[in-house]
């Protein structure tokens, strides 16, 4: 350790009081004087610690409902003066400013407040921290003399270093803490900027709603605020490093609660996100089995167990070693079926105790409990910049379809067409999905039969989807993520056994393709939108 500097006085003002009293006791044990504000001071006193009020240090009371308490020369002068400059030391002594050697601050929970249901405009504004970021920046700027602590996770290491070095911290530690502090204020400001940019002016008592992003409206400066959650074992391949970052929602795959199994890998997380998004397309019980981000089987059913069995039947070979996404709580019956197959991970809204007991036999199997968090926008990095677009959340219902052939789809074909279209949206382009529908009482459920993914030619996608089929293709329907540019692709799916087709339409060759469908006695519908998925 080099450049050791003593910590004689610490200013503590925190929103998150986790671990606070233990850390303050460790400071006091090294003879550090504790100065604090408001609720933080009360917490420390209640724990039996001697605390000096900030108003005693400044000679000025906290005021304006706590808006002004640390914005004072005796605070910032105590933090910012350089101990190595005689003129700085003389100036602070002349004005009775006392040294502050450590600042312990975490900021008002702005993001949590913004995400809270029923939050008002006034409440959101009040949770924009002013004094906290000011102290953080002051202390970080003067890291040569002052330690700035912004993370609860750093408390124990700092306590240990102080104890090892007789109440002193090294220059390396102070610099590391300053780096963290600058990142903290940057993320905080980004979160505020991103939130308020979406809001119109409102009266303080106005309850805020989550505004939908308006198509075509993008900020001049894109602020991204994500918190490091963990470093991963490696990236897509072992020679690549990787890390997971979280937004402030506490939802989605990134914030999923892992109930058992090995650490999630980069590829696990990517695949889990893909299968979770696909399963979430459906209102009825749905299961998606994903391999390398593409579905190898998807189905709806009367129950999770029923949907799983049907999804697996589409391609049981590819399903081996895949991941599973489910839009319902997984029960004992479903777990009993799933445990028969080797899978890497399962994502679902929950797992019953009976299901968890069954899965416990597979110790490496990762179970992830997920709270829904539909993506609003999608970011893709390219060399020299990045691309930002609205997430593809377009839904097509029966009333949106345009029947373009002489033969209309039967009710069963219509259900299968809508099912296949939702699956096709999640298949890498060029994509063709063969599917069928099956009636159970008064309900009809969908099942994939063959999936042609990521082909350079749409005809090849149609051929490959048929080649992958394990179940009979006769009587299936086919979905194409983009239009058929020529009749050959349509003729290929018909030759495979499809009797109905769903596609966007919009090709200059549409009349030729429609004529081919009529000649082949196919029912064909146009959606008017496409679902390219390039990455």
């Amino acid at each position: 350790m080099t450049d050791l500097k003593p910590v004689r006085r610490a200013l503590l003002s925190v929103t998150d009081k986790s671990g606070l009293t233990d850390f303050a006791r460790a400071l006091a044990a090294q003879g550090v004087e504790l100065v604090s504000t408001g609720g933080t001071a009360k917490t420390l006193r209640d724990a039996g610690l001697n605390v000096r009020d900030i108003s005693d240090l400044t000679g000025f009371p906290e005021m304006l409902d706590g808006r002004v308490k640390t914005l004072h020369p005796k605070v910032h002068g105590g933090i910012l003066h350089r101990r190595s400059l005689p003129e700085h030391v003389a100036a602070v002594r002349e004005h009775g400013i006392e040294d502050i050697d450590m600042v312990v601050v975490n900021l008002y929970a702005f993001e949590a407040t913004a995400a809270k249901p029923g939050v008002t405009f006034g409440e959101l504004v009040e949770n924009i921290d002013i004094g906290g970021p000011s102290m953080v920046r002051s202390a970080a700027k003067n890291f040569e003399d002052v330690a700035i602590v912004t993370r609860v996770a750093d408390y124990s290491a700092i306590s240990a270093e102080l104890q090892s070095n007789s109440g002193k911290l090294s220059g390396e530690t102070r610099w590391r803490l300053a780096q963290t502090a600058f990142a903290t204020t940057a993320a905080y400001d980004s979160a505020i900027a991103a939130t308020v940019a979406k809001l119109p002016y409102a009266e303080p008592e106005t309850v805020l709603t989550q505004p939908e992003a308006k198509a075509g409206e993008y900020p001049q400066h894109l602020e991204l605020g994500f918190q490091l959650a963990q470093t991963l074992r490696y990236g897509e391949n072992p020679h690549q490093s990787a890390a997971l970052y979280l937004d402030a929602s506490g939802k989605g795959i990134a914030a999923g609660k892992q109930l058992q199994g090995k650490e999630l890998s980069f590829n696990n997380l990517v695949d889990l996100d893909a299968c979770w998004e696909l399963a979430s397309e459906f209102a009825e019980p749905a299961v998606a089995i994903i391999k390398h981000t593409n579905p190898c089987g998807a189905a709806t059913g009367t129950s999770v167990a029923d949907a799983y069995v049907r999804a697996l039947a589409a391609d049981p070979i590819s399903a081996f070693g895949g991941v599973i996404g489910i839009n319902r709580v997984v029960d004992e019956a479903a777990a009993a079926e799933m445990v028969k197959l080797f899978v890497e991970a399962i994502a679902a809204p929950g797992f019953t105790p009976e299901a968890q007991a069954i899965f416990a036999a597979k110790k490496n199997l990762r179970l992830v409990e997920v709270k829904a968090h539909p993506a609003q926008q999608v970011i893709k990095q390219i060399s020299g910049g990045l691309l930002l677009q609205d997430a593809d959340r377009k839904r097509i219902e029966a009333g949106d379809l345009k029947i373009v052939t002489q033969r209309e789809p039967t009710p069963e074909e219509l259900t299968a067409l809508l099912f296949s279209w939702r699956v096709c949206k999640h298949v890498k382009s060029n994509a063709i999905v063969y599917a069928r529908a099956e009636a159970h009482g008064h309900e009809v459920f969908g099942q994939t039969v063959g999936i042609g993914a990521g082909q350079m030619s749409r005809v090849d996608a149609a051929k490959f989807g048929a080649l992958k089929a394990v179940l009979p293709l006769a009587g299936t329907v086919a979905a194409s993520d983009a239009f058929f540019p020529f009749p050959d692709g349509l003729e290929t799916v018909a030759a495979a056994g499809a009797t109905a087709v769903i596609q966007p339409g919009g090709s200059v060759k549409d009349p030729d393709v429609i004529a081919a469908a009529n000649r082949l006695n196919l029912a064909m519908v146009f959606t008017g939108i496409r679902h390219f998925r390039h990455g």
Side-chain angles (χ1 to χ4, degrees):
M1 296 274 192
T2 59
D3 193 24
L4 292 169
K5 297 273 180 87
V7 178
R8 300 187 181 92
R9 182 176 295 108
L11 172 55
L12 302 93
S13 181
V14 297
T15 299
D16 179 1
K17 296 177 175 57
S18 305
L20 172 66
T21 55
D22 287 342
F23 184 48
R25 284 195 185 95
L27 295 176
Q30 297 301 318
V32 178
E33 181 185 50
L34 306 179
V35 181
S36 192
T37 63
T40 305
K42 182 179 185 303
T43 298
L44 296 177
R45 285 198 180 96
D46 289 348
L49 289 158
N50 291 323
V51 183
R52 186 179 176 189
D53 286 322
I54 192 72
S55 57
D56 179 57
L57 185 75
T58 63
F60 205 86
E62 296 184 26
M63 62 183 299
L64 305 181
D65 299 319
R67 281 189 168 200
V68 176
K69 49 192 173 186
T70 60
L71 296 170
H72 196 281
K74 287 196 173 182
V75 172
H76 288 273
I79 296 170
L80 277 167
H81 76 277
R82 297 177 64 182
R83 279 63 162 172
S84 61
L85 297 181
E87 59 269 33
H88 278 206
V89 174
V92 296
R93 296 297 174 257
E94 179 184 353
H95 295 285
I97 296 173
E98 302 177 58
D99 294 358
I100 297 174
D101 307 309
M102 176 182 284
V103 176
V104 184
V105 169
N106 50 60
L107 307 176
Y108 291 172
F110 177 82
E111 290 174 283
T113 301
K116 188 172 65 175
V119 65
T120 65
F121 189 86
E123 185 181 0
L124 183 70
V125 170
E126 281 305 308
N127 275 273
I128 297 176
D129 201 334
I130 304 300
S134 299
M135 287 192 293
V136 170
R137 280 189 173 278
S138 292
K141 179 175 180 176
N142 202 26
F143 69 90
E144 292 177 349
D145 296 309
V146 180
I148 172 61
V149 185
T150 56
R151 299 194 314 163
V152 174
D154 290 325
Y155 288 176
S156 60
I158 293 169
S159 299
E161 185 174 333
L162 287 169
Q163 185 175 10
S164 298
N165 294 299
S166 303
K168 298 177 181 179
L169 290 178
S170 70
E172 291 92 335
T173 294
R174 295 193 306 276
W175 175 236
R176 176 179 57 80
L177 292 171
Q179 290 173 314
T180 299
F182 284 127
T184 298
T185 55
Y188 192 72
D189 287 340
S190 293
I192 294 170
T195 300
V196 301
K198 303 173 187 176
L199 300 176
Y201 169 74
E203 296 298 327
E205 64 275 8
T206 303
V207 175
L208 300 180
T209 57
Q210 294 298 323
E212 289 286 338
K214 294 181 180 179
E217 289 190 4
Y218 294 96
Q220 290 296 314
H221 300 280
L222 181 62
E223 305 289 347
L224 301 177
F226 292 84
Q227 185 70 36
L228 177 65
Q230 66 182 97
T231 53
L232 304 174
R233 287 180 295 159
Y234 51 82
E236 281 186 287
N237 301 291
H239 63 274
Q240 295 171 266
S241 62
L244 171 65
Y245 286 79
L246 302 180
D247 64 20
S249 69
K251 298 178 180 178
I253 289 295
K257 180 181 179 182
Q258 187 171 349
L259 303 180
Q260 72 162 55
K262 296 191 296 184
E263 178 187 340
L264 288 163
S265 70
F266 182 98
N267 290 335
N268 290 153
L269 290 163
V270 172
D271 285 344
L272 282 171
D273 192 56
C275 67
W276 172 257
E277 290 296 320
L278 174 49
S280 299
E281 287 279 350
F282 301 95
E284 56 268 55
V287 171
I289 305 174
I290 292 285
K291 197 74 169 288
H292 300 295
T293 72
N294 273 309
C296 51
T300 55
T302 57
S303 64
V304 173
D306 179 47
Y308 169 73
V309 169
R310 288 158 53 77
L312 178 63
D315 191 352
I317 294 176
S318 296
F320 183 87
V323 301
I324 302 173
I326 305 143
N327 67 350
R328 292 284 196 284
V329 172
V330 179
D331 59 17
E332 182 178 11
E337 290 295 332
M338 293 177 189
V339 80
K340 297 175 185 177
L341 177 71
F342 168 65
V343 294
E344 292 282 356
I346 301 173
F351 301 83
T352 66
E354 295 80 8
Q356 289 189 55
I358 291 172
F359 287 130
K362 300 261 189 171
K363 297 188 183 300
N364 289 333
L365 171 63
R366 304 153 175 97
L367 297 184
V368 183
E369 190 175 272
V370 186
K371 295 180 181 178
H373 184 50
Q376 298 293 323
Q377 293 180 318
V378 177
I379 297 171
K380 182 175 179 61
Q381 188 170 5
I382 59 174
S383 58
L386 55 81
L387 299 169
L388 175 65
Q389 66 171 347
D390 295 337
D392 186 359
R393 300 179 63 196
K394 183 70 175 178
R395 294 292 296 270
I396 291 293
E397 305 295 344
D400 301 317
L401 300 175
K402 179 182 179 182
I403 300 170
V404 296
T405 50
Q406 295 167 358
R407 186 172 78 79
E408 295 186 4
T410 66
E412 188 173 284
E413 285 176 331
L414 183 59
T415 298
L417 288 169
L418 291 170
F419 170 82
S420 65
W421 184 249
R422 290 179 185 172
V423 174
C424 197
K425 173 181 169 182
H426 296 267
V427 178
K428 295 294 174 61
S429 186
N430 287 320
I432 297 289
V433 173
Y434 295 92
R436 67 181 185 183
E438 187 175 51
H440 288 262
H442 297 295
E443 297 182 283
V444 183
F445 300 101
Q447 177 186 31
T448 57
V449 175
I451 298 175
Q455 301 303 306
M456 288 68 76
S457 158
R458 194 157 300 279
V459 173
D460 287 345
K463 290 178 178 177
F464 187 70
L467 179 67
K468 289 290 293 178
V470 177
L471 300 169
L473 281 164
T476 58
V477 305
S480 175
D481 65 335
F483 60 63
F484 288 104
F486 302 100
D488 53 359
L490 183 79
E491 291 164 348
T492 301
V493 300
T499 61
V501 173
I502 185 169
Q503 61 136 317
S507 168
V508 295
K509 295 289 187 179
D510 276 351
D512 295 344
V513 176
I514 293 170
N518 286 329
R519 173 171 50 81
L520 295 165
N521 195 34
L522 296 178
M524 186 163 65
V525 298
F526 284 0
T527 63
I529 65 164
R530 74 179 188 199
H531 281 313
F532 272 169
R533 192 178 186 87
H534 283 177

